[in-house]
Structure formats: C-alpha cells, structure tokens
C-alpha cells in the first residue's frame, strides 16, 4: 500500500505537490480532514469542527468513585469468592451448626487484601499516565510558542519537538532544522528497529509556519504499524528524534488514536493453568459437597418418618411451625455449611501467600543479577510462577533479545582468499598466500560500497543498517578509512594515506524482493563503476559464473556459523551504458503509477553480468549464552519461534547462530519472495505452498512423540519462515473457509517444525501469532520474551510475558509479568524456578483438597450415627483452626522451600522439564489418587474410633467418654496423619520444615490442652473442658491414635517404596544431585541417608 | 526464630517492591543478598524412602504390634462382663408390666426384679453401667440443649437460661425458669437399680453400690457448680426455678442424703450430661468396691436386680440394660484394639517379607540394567 497522506492547499491557489501518490484513492467515508494550525476553511462555509479525542493516554482501570463497586464486582465474579459469600450469607440467615464468623472473617480478609493490592497497582498506573499526560511540549499557536501539557494537544496543533525528545502524538513533519528538510528518528520503542530512519518534510511549504494554512486529508486511525511506517512524513508517537535539532509537525492522530496506542493492548488478568485446574477440582468438590448434603437431607427425612419426635428431644415451637419444604431447604443449607470446609477459603489464602512469598525467590536470585545494569530480576505478577514450569512455546523477539544488535566485521573473502581480522592485524588463512595489489584494490572497492548514506560524525558512523557500520569499521581496520560524504563525493583514506574520491551517481536501493543494492560511482579517473552487494542467492545469478564456486564455499561456511554474509560484485559501465541507465532511472523515478515496479525493472536490467569480488561475513553478536539457552530450552521440549520486525536475512542468520536452524534443517519459506515466484497470483501460490509444505512437514514426517529426542528420531528437521505480509494473507484470506483452512495448515506445519521464524512482523501481528498458537489444539502454554515496546502486545497476549531489561526503554519490562536482565536468565527462570514452583503449587493444591476431604468425611459419616441432625463431630474451635493453624504452616513451608530435585540438576538436565509438561501433576488421574487417599483416611479415622467406642468405657477408672471425646480422638488422628503425610512427601528438609512440621503438631497439643483447660467465660458451651487431657489419660486412646496414624500412612509408604525409579536416569540424577552440591555443609553428613537410590519425583505419583 | 525469618522476608519484600516502583532513582546497589535462604540453598536433609530404609521399619512395627495386640486381646478377654436387658419388651420378661403400664404422671413407682446368675466370680472393682440403645443423645438439637453457665452456677443463667434450652427453658405454666434447663437434663435417666445377692444359705444381701467417683473429676469439681452461696440451704439457692418437666423431684432433691452429691453436682446427673457419642451407649452407674479380704467382689451365684422402672424407652424402640463389668488398664471389654493391632502388625510383617523379596529381585535387576550404561 502506498501512503495516503495528502496535503492540499485551500487558501493558496498554488497547487502543492503532494508527497503522496495514492491520495486520490481515498474514499470519502474513511478520511479525516485536519486544518493545520486550526486555520479553518473559508469563513463563509459552515464549518463543524470534527470531534477528535484529546491526547490523553488512559491505561488505568478504576477511578476513586467506581473503585469499590467495580472491584468488588470483579472479585465476586471469581467462582470461589462468590461461593464463600453465599456460604457466609447462609450462615447468617439460617440456623447452622457453625458460626458465620468461621467463614466470614477469612473471606473479608481475602477480599480486603486483594482490593488493596489492586488499588495500589491502579494507583501506579494513574501515576504513570499522569507522567505521560502532563509532560510539557511546545505548541505553536499564532506564531508564538506555548508550553502545554501533552494531554492538551489537539488534532491540528503544530508541535515542536527537540532532539532526543519523544514525539507526543502522531505528527506530519512540516519543518526540520536540517537544511535538507529531513530528520532522523529511531522507532526502537515501536518496532524494535534501532537504526535511524530518515523522514522528509512535506515538500514545497512556506518557510514560515505561522502563515501556513492548509488541510490534511488522511485515513482514519489504523493499528497497522507496518503499513504506515512507510509514509515519509509521518512521525509516530513514541519514536525519538535523533540528530536533528528540532522539528515542527502537525498533530494528526492523538491520544488513544495514535498508532502506538492502537497497537497497545490492555493488560488483562492472566490466569494460570493451575488455577484452571483448581477451578475444575473445585467443581468436583462442589459436586461432592452438594451430593453429601442432598444424601443427608434425604436420609434425614426418611429417618424422621420413623423416629419422628421422641419424648426426650422435642422440637422447639419455631421448628414445629416452619413449613415442611422450607425446613427441608434450610436443612439442606445447614448440611452445606456443615460440610463446606471441604472447600476452604484458606486454600485460596495459602495459594495467594505461596505465590506472593514464592515470587521473592526470583527477585532474590543472585544468578539473575546483571552487573552491567546493576539490577536483578523483577516480578510484576506473582500469579504465574507455576506457569513458568509449563511453557510449551516460546516466542522471542530477535533484536535486543537474541542478539545484542551490535554488528562486528568478522572476515571477508576476496577471489577465494580469506581475510580474517584478529587483533588489528590482518591474518591470512593457510591457503592464502599473498596480499596482492588486486586484492587491495578490491578491498578498497568493498569498502566503497558500504559508504552509501553514511554520515561521518564525531562519535562514529550512523547508517540505516548496522551491517554497514560493521563493514565500514571492518574496512577501517584494514587501513581504508571512510572520511565521509561531501556533496555526492565520497572520500576514502587508503593505506597509503592518500585520499581517494569517488563521485556518487546513483543509489539503487535495497528491497526485499531483489535482496541487493547497488551504487554507481565515478572514480577520479572517470571510470564509472557499479558496485552491488546483496544476499548470495541474489548475487550469484547476476555474475559471471567462473568465481562463484569458490566464493560459495566460503559463504556457506560462514552462513552455517551464523554470520550474516553479503556478496559483493562490480561491473564497469561504459559511458553509453551509464547514460542509458541514468536516463531510465530518472524516468522511472518520476512516474506516478507503478513506480516501484518500473524502478525495479531498471535495477534488474543494470545489475547483470557483474564480476563477483567476494563475500563478507558480519557477526550479529548474540546475547551471552544465547545458543546454550536455546538448546537447553529445546531440550526441555519447548518450541521456539522467533518473531521479529527485522529483515528475513538478518533474522535467518541469527537463527543459525543461535542453533535454532541447523546445517541440515530444511527451510520452508513462505515470504513475499516465494509467493511472487512462479508468476501466478499470490493467493494461488500461497495455497500451493501451504499444501506443499504441509505434505513435507506433516504428512511425510513420522509423528513426533514427546519425550523422545526428536533429532535422532526423525530424519529431517524443518524450519519454517514466514513474513508479515504472507502472514496477514494466511490470517485474513478473502474467504472465510479458506482462511480457516490456511490457519490450520499453517499451524500444523509450524507444529512440526523445530523452529519457526516470523520476520517483518508488526507488533499486533506478533500478538496474533501468539494468539493463534495459544488457541490451537491442546491450548499450549505460551511464553513471549522481548525487550522493546514492539514486543508489548505479544508479551501481553502470551500466557507468560517476559521482559528483558534491555536498552530500548522500559515499556516491555513494565508490561511483562517477569523481567530479567538477560536472555540467558530465561533458562534458570524456566528450568529451575518454573519447575519448582509448579511442583510446589501442584502439590499444594492436591494436598489441600486431600486434607479437607479427610477432614470432612468423618463429619459426614457421623451424620449416619446422629440421626442426620447436622451435629458436628468436631468442636467449633477445631473446625475453624484446622485449616488456619494446625495444618496450614507445614504445607506453606513445603510449597515455598521444597526442592524435590535440586536446582543444579534441574539446570543440567533440561529434559526433566518434560516430566511436568502438560500439567502432569494436576491430571485427573492424580487427583483421583489423592481423593481416594482422602476417602481412605477419612474412613480409617472414623471407623477406627467408631469400633473403639463400641464400649465407651475407655478409662481405667471405668468412666466413659462422650461425643466430644470421640471427635477429639478423630481430630487428633487427623491432624497427625495429615501432617505426617506431608512429612513423607517432603524431600528437602530445611530447619524451617522441621520447625514448622513438628511445631504445628506441638502447637496442636498445646492448644488442645489450653482450650480444654479453662472455663471460657465468653463461650456458651464448655464442650471440650478437659476432654483432651482425659483422652490422653486413656491408654486405649493412645493406642488407637498410634494405630490409625500408622494404618493410614501404610499404603503411602508402601507406594513410595514400590514405585520404581524411571530408568537408570533417575538414579543417576539423584546421585549427581548429591555430588553436585558441594557448598552444602550437610553433604558430608548425608550419605548415610541418601546412599540408596531414589525416585526423582516422588511427588509425581 | 520462625517469626524473625518471616519478618526478614517481609522487609526484603517491601524493599524490592519499593525499588521496582521507584523508577529512576539514584542507582542503588540492588544486588540480592547472598544468603542461603534467599538463594534457596538452605542446608537440607534429603531423606529418601527406599525399600532398604523402610524394610526394617516394617519388621520392627510388625514385631512390636503383634505382641501388643496379643496383650490387648488377652486383657480384653480377661475382663468379665455381664449384661442384663430389662426393657420388658417380651411378654415373659419381668419388667413387661412396668414397661406397658408406664404413664408420665403416675405417682407410685413400678418396681420389677430380674434374676440372673453369675457363673464366674468378679474380682477387683466391679463397675455397674446402665446401657441405652437407639437413644440419640448425639442429636444436634439434643446436644446443644443445655446451658453450661447455668450448670456452672452462674446466677444470671439460673434465672434466665440460654435460648438453646428451648423448649425446656421455662415451665409452660408457671413461666419459671427451669433448672437445669434443656432437653438433656430433662431426660435424665431415673431408673433406680439395686443389686441383691442370694447367698447360698438362702439369705439375700444387698450389694453395696458406691455412687461417687463415677463422673469426671474436673466435671464434678469445676464444670458443674451449684448456684449461690455455699452456706445457704440448697433449696434456697434454687428458689424461683422450676424442676424440669419430666422430673419427679426438683434438682435440689436428687440426693438429699449427701450435700456433696446434690443439685448440679450430683454425679448421676453429671454423667448423664456428658452426651454419648453413639445412639447405643453405656454410662457408669455405680461402683462395687472390692472387698478388703480376698473374697471376690461379686461371688458367682444368683443375683437379682431390683429396678424402679421410671424411664420409658418403648416409645422409640429403645432398650435398657444393666451391665456389670470389671475394668483393666485399657478400660472396659473391647476386643477391637487387640484384633486391630494383631492385624496391622501381621500386615506389616507380611509386607516386610514381600518387600524383602521384591527388593532383592529389583536390586539385582537394576544393577544388571545399570551395567550397560
């Protein structure tokens, strides 16, 4: 698409030459008319000022007024909170066995804490918004400069921006302080490209903006960043002005309508897969709860029909008067309340605490500390810790994430000789003998090629491509210094300290289809030379074939090493040839229609029959340990997709360098270039290519099985490359069924490729891809990592968004869930932290459901023995304290400290990550196991004590025990069993675990004595008075407690022992674990206990 | 210690939180502390349960539990227990008439006598229980129908008992508060049991039944207290209250013979107030103290039980029993514990053997599997 910006004068009769060619295509409905400087159209015409939004950016969610209702509403939309609210209300209204305080207090606590947390976060957003909105900018009004808040900019205002400032809104460049009417900007925070881009002022404007009166017609705001980065005179909000003192521009899009804001996606709350599992389990337990209550209610009325009212236990007047059906309903609710502890509020509190406290371990990790920026990792949300252990797809940005965006010249090869640079002196390869004059000359020529567009500055070179800087710097080390460009004359200082001058005649620009660029220069001697550089594949067909083979070898070797290779060719032009080319070029440039095509035809005609000089290799320096990190992550079963706004060639070489593409990887390319091959319509070609690739990658390849090393299994590795334009064709094909089909084909191809590279992506396209994969079959967990503002949308879209604290501002960091200083830290974050967090929280969840099931089951069973009268088995204090005090701390400590496999081993064996893939520890099978265990324990507790109580004379003085003793014995067995069960699962006993586990048990005993030791004046019932002490005075009670605890744990111990380690690997791992932890002072004391083999994942049952 | 560690955490959390939001402050050294806790490197004991470590435990448990179980079983078997059901359901049973002719407002007590023979002598202290079946003392409405503070002697509760006592809170006619209020107190077991021994010489002698020491010590001395001043007459102290509806005499006449056993601190009353766990239960009624000489407490022979039949159970299909039992260190007769211990002990031992075999097999197999690696 061509730019759609037209500037048309309305007062001056002079026809301005609009910079835009396509303006006449704009249909009326989708244009906005802007009056520059608010000087409106002829006064006699009725002018209705159009409504544009102001330049205010709003990212906050609440205001002071709507915070409370909105926040409460959002919180109670959570199924769990709503459930607890209902339970609380039932307890308040209906006569229930337990007090409303038992569920009201924790609920209030949870709601308050969450509200405070969210309020604080929103306050921070308000603050950030204010900072942006109140930023002062200069606006020209009636020729005067006025300082004004950024938020107050209106469409049509003329805004002045100075060097290094950020544009406050989308501007059309009217005036620049540079003579040539250009300005330089970097759009790093928009699309991640940190090179300088040149923008031009609107041509033929009066120099004094004060008197300018014009209208601009432009299209309505559109989010497509990629399309619109083109227009030469549109400056986007968020871009930075560079190397230009100041510019003036007229605001065309403001506030939420700027490209940046349209490309910004709101930060929605992310839910982890674990939370989804919790909700599913919750439903099961809710079902259990309701059915329990239903069973009890039904049986109650069956029972009552037989034992209606006994003389010793008459109903109250109120009970007699109540309607039968209402009574049934309230009975049902009472049972619900009695059993509601099966879904405890405390689980949510514990999970939240675990996440909150657990996330500190990430911020504290000194391995994440980067001495360069003096910062460690940052956790923005603690909700997703465990999701780090579940990642299946990684979407990574290239520039700044995989690479440092820092090019370095490595070597070049000229006429088959290789020149490698090392320590400032030129080193020759074994087979390279001389450094002949011809070589020197050609070196020189290579040098020249790269001098295009370059401006020599005090600080260094600035070019539109970092490769070119690298080449120039490389040449400088060989003694050819580029001195600069002075009115079309390039000066080069050669080895002999002579200045050579070349006159620059034409630049044949780069384009992605031709994939090469050329210059025509005239040397001092008057020779006209054409130098061409480009990708090997685009140069080789255009040169004489003699030299190709030798160079090709070098190029291929360099390419597989991950260097960016360029081939250079040249050609002498005779005077006639030049004259013709010159004329053609000029003509093509002046055409209005199909200018691009015509230019390209000329370029192609000129760039033929050249002589190959050689090739260069430039290294796009990777981040530290990028390749190792990628290898480890792939080993962990993750698929890595590179999404970049960069050129395909650049991105491809990075992929090679990172080891994402290997030597034998067959690349499947779906780009504009491949689409335009074959001469048919793009749509048809797309269809064919997709089918062809699908056949190759999906149908012919044997199905890839998880857990088996892929490389050895399948013969062929595939890599897939797609660019932005092709992607939008795939995603938004003209017809709906086609589009769905393409999407499916595309996904299937991608899923069977080891790595996927998507280049030339606009930020929203990145998000689209993430979304596509996220919603594909099996809903894989995705992770996006990036460092620039252009990655924000994909960071927000993915399940987990990671920001790199790079050089390109803090946008990505602010919007990410976790921020780390370097890419290499991702490995530990996922493989160690993610793995551990997942195991911890999965165990926490399962354990919580288990412990509440075996807590409530005896209470349920007791109903069968007490006439379904809702009589609680346990005292109210025990009911309330069970989850809060007696059993909460050990599991919290476990879920913060457990390391079932130590960190070193996790890092070393990345395949361990696969063991927990796909939510392995929260599958239904395991859930059933835990539930069965809970039921078993509940049955053992209840019936064990039931048989004991067949004769309640349990003391040696013949006295008998009552119902509260019964409950206390069951409860004691319960607390001990549940705690010891956790102790059995604990693989990592720090002093905190010891303290908390034994401490809880001691606390239980102490509390029971204390609670039963005093007549509490505020209590209506003194039910437990000396019950516990009396229980302990009975030998039978002791014996039954010991017996039942042991009996309950027996199957557990048995299972642990009987389960065999999975292969010899497991054994090895544990041994390594012990050996690889020399820092631990305990290691020498440990062998006695750890000498034997073990199962590396006892918790995964 | 615990608290301090969490405090440290909180502080650090706060610090890290504030520094992240601090934005572009002066460059601080944010390097995380290299402490064992923060780096998750706390020294840890890493126990690994294996067949090797668990095997001995299984054997030890087996070897310990089986003897304990045998001991328990033998002890339980040595306890002598004799049960007499005197409900009077069957037409030929001695209490049939009493059971049938029961009316709530009869003034003359119905007395019946049950004969039984003890084939073995009962040594040591013998405990006499009464047992009720199908009596839901653990029904929720029943369990909560009491006022513990009234029973604790709190004057205000005596005058206005807790609402929980409804419908046994106030006398429906006089509107006076009931003391002791509630369903539990109202349904106090009021059969009187007397035991007579027919000596071989034809004489009958009354067996001395001790009514003290049947309630928990703490209940008798702390939890239950009569209201008012100790010096006053008990009748005075309960003035203004009504007797429970089903009672024949007011609370201060429960045991007029012994002021230490009268009113709320009457032990029969206290025992009744401790609600049973299950609908079939027994409660301690009397103790027959062993004799100073070496003769058995209850010699074998013929006995008869004289029952003042006041307590109706037929309306809810209940049964009444009188149980005579000796007691061991583990309490009354209950073979469950012994059997359970023997069973669990045997299971452990058996599993130990099975594991030993498996362990042996597995170990050799895994070793051979390891060799190729």
């Amino acid at each position: 698409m061509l730019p759609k910006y037209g500037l048309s004068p309305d007062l001056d009769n002079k026809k301005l030459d609009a910079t835009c060619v396509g303006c006449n295509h704009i249909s009326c409905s989708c244009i906005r008319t802007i009056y520059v400087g608010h000087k409106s159209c002829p006064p006699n015409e009725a002018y209705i000022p159009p409504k544009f939004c102001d330049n205010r950016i709003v990212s906050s969610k609440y205001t002071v007024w709507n915070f409370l209702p909105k926040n409460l509403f959002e919180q109670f939309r959570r199924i769990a909170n709503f459930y607890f609210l209902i339970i609380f209300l039932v307890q308040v209204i209906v006569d229930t066995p337990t007090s409303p305080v038992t569920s009201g207090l924790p609920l209030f606590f949870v709601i308050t804490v969450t509200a405070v947390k969210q309020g604080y976060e929103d306050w921070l957003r308000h603050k950030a918004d204010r900072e942006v909105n109140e930023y002062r900018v200069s606006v020209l009004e009636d020729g005067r400069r006025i300082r004004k808040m950024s938020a107050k900019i209106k469409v049509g205002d003329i805004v002045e921006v100075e060097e290094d400032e950020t544009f406050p809104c989308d501007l059309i460049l009217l005036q620049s302080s540079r003579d040539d009417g250009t300005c330089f900007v970097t759009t790093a925070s928009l699309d991640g490209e940190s090179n300088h881009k040149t923008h031009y002022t609107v041509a033929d404007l009066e120099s004094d903006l004060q008197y300018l009166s014009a209208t601009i017609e432009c299209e309505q705001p559109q989010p497509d960043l990629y399309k619109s980065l083109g227009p030469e005179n549109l400056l986007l909000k968020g871009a930075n002005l560079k190397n230009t003192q100041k510019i003036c521009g007229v605001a065309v899009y403001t506030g939420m309508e700027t490209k940046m804001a349209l490309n910004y996606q709101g930060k929605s709350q992310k839910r982890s897969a674990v939370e989804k599992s919790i909700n599913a389990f919750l439903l099961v337990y809710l079902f259990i709860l309701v059915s329990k209550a239903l069973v009890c209610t039904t049986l109650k009325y069956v029972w009552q029909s037989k034992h209606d009212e006994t003389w010793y236990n008459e109903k109250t007047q109120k009970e007699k008067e109540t309607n039968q059906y209402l009574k049934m309903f309230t009975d049902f609710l009472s049972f619900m309340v009695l059993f509601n502890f099966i879904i405890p509020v405390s689980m949510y509190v514990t999970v939240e605490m675990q996440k909150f406290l657990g996330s500190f371990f990430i911020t504290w990790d000194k391995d994440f500390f980067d001495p360069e920026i003096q910062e460690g990792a940052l956790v923005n949300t603690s909700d997703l810790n465990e999701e780090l252990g579940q990642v299946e797809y990684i979407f990574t940005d290239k520039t700044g994430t995989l690479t440092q965006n820092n090019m370095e010249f490595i070597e070049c090869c000229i006429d088959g000789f290789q020149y490698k640079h090392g320590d400032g002196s030129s080193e020759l390869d074994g087979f390279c003998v001389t450094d002949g004059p011809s070589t020197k000359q050609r070196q020189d020529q290579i040098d020249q090629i790269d001098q295009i567009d370059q401006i020599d500055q005090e600080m260094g070179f600035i070019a539109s491509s970092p490769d070119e800087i690298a080449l120039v710097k490389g040449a400088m080390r060989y003694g050819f210094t580029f001195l600069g460009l002075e009115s079309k004359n390039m000066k080069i200082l050669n080895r002999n300290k002579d200045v050579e001058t070349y006159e620059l005649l034409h630049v044949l620009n780069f384009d992605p289809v031709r994939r090469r660029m050329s210059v025509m220069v005239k040397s001092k001697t008057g020779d006209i030379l054409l130098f061409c550089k480009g990708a090997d594949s685009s140069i080789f067909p255009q040169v004489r074939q003699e030299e190709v083979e030798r160079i090709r070898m070098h190029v291929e070797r360099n390419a597989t090493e991950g260097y960016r290779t360029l081939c250079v060719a040249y050609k002498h032009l005779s005077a006639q040839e030049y004259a013709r080319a010159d004329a053609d070029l000029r003509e093509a440039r002046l055409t209005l229609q199909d200018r691009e095509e015509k230019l390209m035809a000329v370029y192609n005609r000129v760039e033929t029959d050249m002589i190959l000089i050689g090739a260069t290799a430039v290294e796009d320096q990777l981040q530290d340990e990028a390749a190792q990190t990628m290898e480890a992550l792939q080993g962990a079963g993750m698929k890595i997709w590179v999404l970049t706004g960069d050129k395909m060639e650049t991105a491809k070489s990075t992929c090679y360098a990172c080891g994402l593409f290997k030597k034998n990887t067959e690349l499947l390319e779906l780009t504009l270039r491949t689409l335009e091959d074959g001469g048919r319509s793009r749509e048809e070609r797309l269809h064919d290519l997709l089918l062809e690739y699908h056949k190759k990658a999906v149908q012919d390849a044997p199905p890839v099985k998880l857990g088996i090393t892929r490389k050895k299994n399948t013969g062929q590795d595939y890599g897939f490359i797609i660019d932005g334009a092709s992607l939008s064709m795939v995603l938004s094909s003209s017809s709906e069924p086609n589009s769905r089909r393409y999407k499916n084909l595309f996904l299937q191809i991608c899923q069977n490729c080891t790595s996927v590279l998507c280049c030339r992506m606009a930020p929203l396209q990145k998000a689209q891809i993430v979304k596509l994969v996220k919603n594909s079959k099996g809903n894989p967990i995705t992770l996006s990592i990036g460092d620039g503002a252009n990655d924000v949308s994909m960071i927000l879209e993915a399940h987990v968004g990671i920001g790199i604290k790079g050089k390109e501002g803090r946008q990505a960091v602010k919007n990410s869930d976790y921020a780390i200083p370097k890419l290499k830290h991702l490995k530990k974050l996922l493989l160690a932290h993610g793995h551990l967090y997942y195991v911890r929280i999965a165990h926490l969840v399962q354990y919580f459901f288990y412990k509440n099931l075996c807590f409530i089951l005896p209470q349920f069973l007791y109903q069968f023995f007490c006439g379904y009268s809702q009589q609680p088995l346990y005292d109210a204090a025990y009911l309330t304290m069970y989850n809060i005090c007696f059993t909460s701390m050990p599991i919290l400590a476990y879920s913060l400290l457990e390391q079932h496999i130590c960190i070193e081993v996790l890092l070393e064996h990345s395949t361990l990550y696969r063991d927990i893939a796909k939510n392995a520890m929260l599958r239904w099978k395991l859930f059933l196991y835990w539930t069965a265990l809970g039921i078993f324990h509940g049955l053992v507790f209840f019936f064990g004590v039931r048989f004991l109580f067949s004769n309640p004379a349990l003391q040696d003085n013949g006295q008998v025990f009552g119902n509260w003793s019964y409950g206390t014995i069951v409860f004691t067995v319960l607390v001990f069993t549940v705690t010891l069960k956790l102790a059995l699962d604990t693989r990592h006993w720090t002093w905190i675990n010891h303290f908390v586990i034994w401490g809880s048990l001691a606390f239980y005993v102490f509390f029971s004595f204390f609670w039963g030791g005093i007549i509490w004046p505020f209590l209506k019932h003194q039910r437990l008075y000396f019950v516990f002490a009396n229980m302990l005075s009975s030998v039978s009670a002791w014996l039954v407690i010991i017996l039942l605890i042991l009996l309950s744990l027996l199957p557990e111990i048995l299972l642990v022992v009987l389960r065999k380690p999975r292969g010899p690997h497991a054994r090895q791992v544990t041994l390594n674990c012990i050996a690889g932890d020399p820092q631990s002072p305990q290691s020498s004391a440990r062998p006695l206990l750890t000498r034997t083999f073990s199962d590396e994942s006892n918790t995964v049952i | 210690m615990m608290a301090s560690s969490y405090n440290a955490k909180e502080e650090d959390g706060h610090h890290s939180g504030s520094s992240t939001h601090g934005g572009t402050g002066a460059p601080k050294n944010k390097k995380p502390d290299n402490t064992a806790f923060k780096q998750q490197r706390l020294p840890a004991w890493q126990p690994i349960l294996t067949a090797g470590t668990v095997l001995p435990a299984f054997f030890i448990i087996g070897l310990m539990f089986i003897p304990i179980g045998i001991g328990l079983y033998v002890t339980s078997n040595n306890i002598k227990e004799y049960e007499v059901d005197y409900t009077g359901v069957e037409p030929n049973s001695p209490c049939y008439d009493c059971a049938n002719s029961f009316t709530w407002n009869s003034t003359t007590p119905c007395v019946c006598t049950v004969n039984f023979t003890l084939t073995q002598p009962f040594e040591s202290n013998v405990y006499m229980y009464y047992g009720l079946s199908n009596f839901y003392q653990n029904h929720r409405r029943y369990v909560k129908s009491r006022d513990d503070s009234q029973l604790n002697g709190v004057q205000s509760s005596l005058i206005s008992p807790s609402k929980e006592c409804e419908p046994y809170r106030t006398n429906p006619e006089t509107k006076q508060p009931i003391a002791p209020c509630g369903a539990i107190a109202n349904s106090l077991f009021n059969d009187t049991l007397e035991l007579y021994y027919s000596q071989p010489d034809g004489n009958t002698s009354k067996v001395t039944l001790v009514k003290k020491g049947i309630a928990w010590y703490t209940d008798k001395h702390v939890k239950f207290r009569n209201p008012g001043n100790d010096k006053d007459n008990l009748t005075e102290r309960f003035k203004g209250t009504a007797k429970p509806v089903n009672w024949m005499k007011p609370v201060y006449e429960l045991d007029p013979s012994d002021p230490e056993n009268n009113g709320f601190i009457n032990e029969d009353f206290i025992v009744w107030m401790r609600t049973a766990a299950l609908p079939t239960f027994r409660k301690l009624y009397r103790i027959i103290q062993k004799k100073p000489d070496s003769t058995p407490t209850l010699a074998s022979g013929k006995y008869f039980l004289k029952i003042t039949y006041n307590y109706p159970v037929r309306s809810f299909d209940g049964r009444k029993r009188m149980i005579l039992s000796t007691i061991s260190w583990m309490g009354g007769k209950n073979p469950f514990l012994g059997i359970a211990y023997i069973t669990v002990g045997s299971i452990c031992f058996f599993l130990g053997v099975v594991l030993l075999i498996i362990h042996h097999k597995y170990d050799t197999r895994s070793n051979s599997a390891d060799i190729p690696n």
Side-chain angles (χ1 to χ4, degrees), chain A residues 95-97 120 124 303 307 310-316 319 357 360-361 363-366 369 374-375 378 833 840 862 865-867 869-871 896-897 899 904 944 946-966 984 987-992 994-996 1020-1022 1025-1027 1030 1035-1036 1039 1042-1043 1046-1047 1050 1053-1054 1056-1058 1060-1061 1064 1067 1077 1082 1086 1089-1090 1092-1094, chain B residues 2 5-6 9-10 12-13 16 20-21 28-32 34 37-51 54 58 61 65 72 81 104 127 129 134-136 138-144 146 148 152 164 166-168 183 187 213-216 218 222-223 246 274-279 282 284 311-312 315-316 327-334 336-337 340-341 344 347-348 351 355 358 362-363 365-367 370 373:
Chain A
D95 164 50
T96 55
Y120 175 69
L124 288 178
W303 185 82
H307 301 74
T310 47
W311 63 264
Y312 59 86
N313 189 14
E314 281 170 13
K315 288 178 185 164
T316 58
E319 275 179 294
L357 296 175
F360 283 126
F361 284 116
T363 34
W364 285 336
D365 196 322
K366 70 175 165 48
F369 182 77
Q374 287 288 308
E375 270 179 72
L378 169 69
H833 285 281
R840 290 167 183 173
Y862 192 59
F865 295 88
C866 71
S869 58
Q870 298 130 27
Q871 170 62 25
L896 287 173
L897 301 167
Q899 292 176 35
E904 288 78 11
R946 161 74 187 77
F947 287 123
L948 184 75
F949 266 69
S950 52
N951 182 354
L954 292 169
Q955 279 178 293
D956 56 1
N957 55 8
Q959 293 171 358
V960 293
F961 281 167
N963 65 322
W964 300 115
S965 302
Y966 190 112
L984 273 182
R987 286 280 149 277
H988 193 79
W989 284 81
T990 64
W991 65 266
I992 299 174
H994 280 289
F995 180 82
V996 162
K1020 266 194 287 189
H1021 296 285
Q1022 311 295 337
Y1025 188 68
F1026 264 79
V1027 163
N1030 265 305
V1035 183
S1036 291
L1039 287 173
I1042 293 167
L1043 177 84
L1046 216 109
L1047 186 62
L1050 204 61
I1053 298 172
L1054 207 64
V1056 169
V1057 176
L1058 284 183
K1060 298 189 176 72
R1067 178 184 221 172
D1077 191 17
Q1082 293 270 306
R1086 236 187 285 143
L1089 289 151
T1090 49
T1092 38
F1093 66 85
S1094 98
Chain B
M2 184 69 202
S5 113
Y6 275 89
K9 214 183 228 181
E10 229 75 85
D12 283 298
S16 85
T20 54
H21 301 305
K28 282 174 277 182
N29 187 12
K30 292 179 194 162
K31 192 175 168 82
N34 188 9
F37 174 70
K38 291 187 175 181
Q39 301 306 321
Q40 306 196 59
R41 286 190 178 283
L42 279 179
W45 174 53
Q46 294 169 316
I48 293 153
L49 279 182
T50 63
V54 170
F58 271 112
I61 291 169
F65 272 31
L72 282 167
E81 202 176 270
W104 278 112
Y127 296 79
Y129 296 91
N134 211 13
F135 188 99
Y136 283 82
N138 57 4
H139 194 279
R140 178 165 162 246
R141 200 188 317 126
Y142 187 83
V143 170
K144 68 175 185 176
R146 65 192 285 162
D148 276 339
N152 196 228
E164 309 253 282
E166 288 291 0
Y168 306 101
S187 58
I214 56 171
W216 287 12
T218 46
V222 188
K223 196 174 168 183
N246 288 348
R274 181 154 294 282
T275 47
L278 299 167
R282 63 172 71 173
L284 190 52
Y311 206 72
S315 60
F316 53 86
I327 283 289
S328 71
W329 49 271
M330 57 169 278
K333 193 182 182 84
N334 189 356
F336 162 72
L337 263 185
Y341 262 82
V344 172
I347 290 174
C348 277
L351 284 177
L355 275 181
I358 290 175
Y362 170 75
D363 232 25
R365 205 179 44 197
S366 83
N367 281 344
D370 270 356
N373 285 317

Side-chain angles (χ1 to χ4, degrees), chain A residues 398 407 465-467 558-559 562-566 616-620 646-647 649-651 653-654:
Chain A
K398 185 191 72 76
M407 308 286 174
S465 157
D467 305 58
N558 285 336
Y563 300 136
R564 298 157 69 117
T565 54
L566 284 175
T616 59
V618 168
E619 188 182 16
D620 185 359
D646 217 338
K647 292 194 291 275
E649 287 72 22
T650 327
S653 62
T654 310

Side-chain angles (χ1 to χ4, degrees), chain B residues 15 25 74 233 287 357:
Chain B
H15 167 252
V74 169
N233 188 334
I287 301 169
I357 296 164

